[in-house]
Amino acid sequence: KQEVTQIPAALSVPEGENLVLNCSFTDSAIYNLQWFRQDPGKGLTSLLLIQSSQREQTSGRLNASLDKSSGRSTLYIAASQPGDSATYLCAVDSNYQLIWGAGTKLIIKP
Amino acid sequence: NAGVTQTPKFQVLKTGQSMTLQCAQDMNHNSMYWYRQDPGMGLRLIYYSASEGTTDKGEVPNGYNVSRLNKREFSLRLESAAPSQTSVYFCASSEALYQPQHFGDGTRLSIL
């Protein structure tokens, strides 16, 4: 059974720092991996989707990498801003279902 | 520019009551999904509809039923609510399976 883990559960860093969020999964048979952002009381916003054949995807200050063989993905956020404060979730798409991690709650201190 | 719309946004039920959560999307997407999110956990898939006229069970379907009313609408029904179903419910849609999913703002459901 696919399991997705995100460490750390919470992270607080000063504004301007570069940071890395981690996601690991137990079964490498995935179709894609997605990173989402969730703001309090709101729905989820898709940030990046990496197909299983890809190694990374970039969007603005965000870069996501995928190493299927080791079951790991990272989300790199450059030059963090207070507006980046949110919970970040990763999800792997396998067998028609998204399997989710519990998320990393990120706080960027001004 | 509505995207995915869920109603209601909040609801309190008593154990044993029934209710239907509504979801509609205006992006002409083929696939729709219902998830629940419990505190400190990731989302879990309840049911999904790959295309109009089809529905399939997800990871946690027990206690729920769904109806894909048309291409736009996908409803989730709790026939006899239980306290264990207290959660935040999210509806999502995508162009097709394995495509990026777009989410509604959620329904916060409490069952006493």
Side-chain angles (χ1 to χ4, degrees), chain A residues 16-88:
Chain A
E17 281 198 5
N18 303 324
L19 58 98
V20 174
L21 306 181
N22 297 297
C23 173
S24 61
F25 48 96
T26 56
D27 187 347
S28 62
I30 65 171
Y31 195 87
N32 62 51
L33 183 144
Q34 301 179 45
W35 283 93
F36 292 83
R37 168 184 173 139
Q38 184 174 26
D39 293 286
K42 294 291 187 180
L44 291 87
T45 302
S46 179
L47 297 173
L48 290 164
L49 182 152
I50 311 175
Q51 302 289 356
S52 63
S53 58
Q54 296 175 319
R55 296 284 294 185
E56 64 179 324
Q57 281 285 339
T58 298
S59 176
R61 295 182 294 107
L62 305 180
N63 175 277
S65 68
L66 175 64
D67 184 341
K68 235 178 45 165
S69 61
S70 68
R72 293 184 179 183
S73 176
T74 61
L75 179 67
Y76 175 83
I77 302 176
S80 59
Q81 304 170 358
D84 295 330
S85 297
T87 297
Y88 291 80

Side-chain angles (χ1 to χ4, degrees), chain A residues 31-32 38 41 43 93 96 100-101, chain B residues 37 42-43 97-98 101 104 108:
Chain A
Y31 195 87
N32 62 51
Q38 184 174 26
D93 202 338
Y96 303 131
W100 297 75
Chain B
Q37 185 178 34
L43 282 70
L97 295 179
Y98 300 127
Q101 295 183 20
R108 283 145 187 83

Side-chain angles (χ1 to χ4, degrees), chain B residues 11-13 19 78 85-89 107-111:
Chain B
Q11 185 70 47
V12 179
L13 293 178
M19 82 162 294
L78 287 70
Q85 294 177 304
T86 293
S87 190
V88 181
Y89 291 84
T107 294
R108 283 145 187 83
L109 181 62
S110 293
I111 300 163

Side-chain angles (χ1 to χ4, degrees), chain A residues 6-11 21-22 35 86-90 102-106:
Chain A
Q6 290 186 249
I7 295 173
L11 181 64
L21 306 181
N22 297 297
W35 283 93
T87 297
Y88 291 80
L89 298 103
C90 72
T104 294
K105 184 175 182 179
L106 177 64

Side-chain angles (χ1 to χ4, degrees), chain B residues 8-29:
Chain B
K9 295 189 183 305
F10 302 93
Q11 185 70 47
V12 179
L13 293 178
K14 294 181 179 178
T15 297
Q17 288 185 318
S18 62
M19 82 162 294
T20 299
L21 308 185
Q22 306 286 352
C23 175
Q25 52 91 10
D26 62 2
M27 295 172 283
N28 201 35
H29 284 172

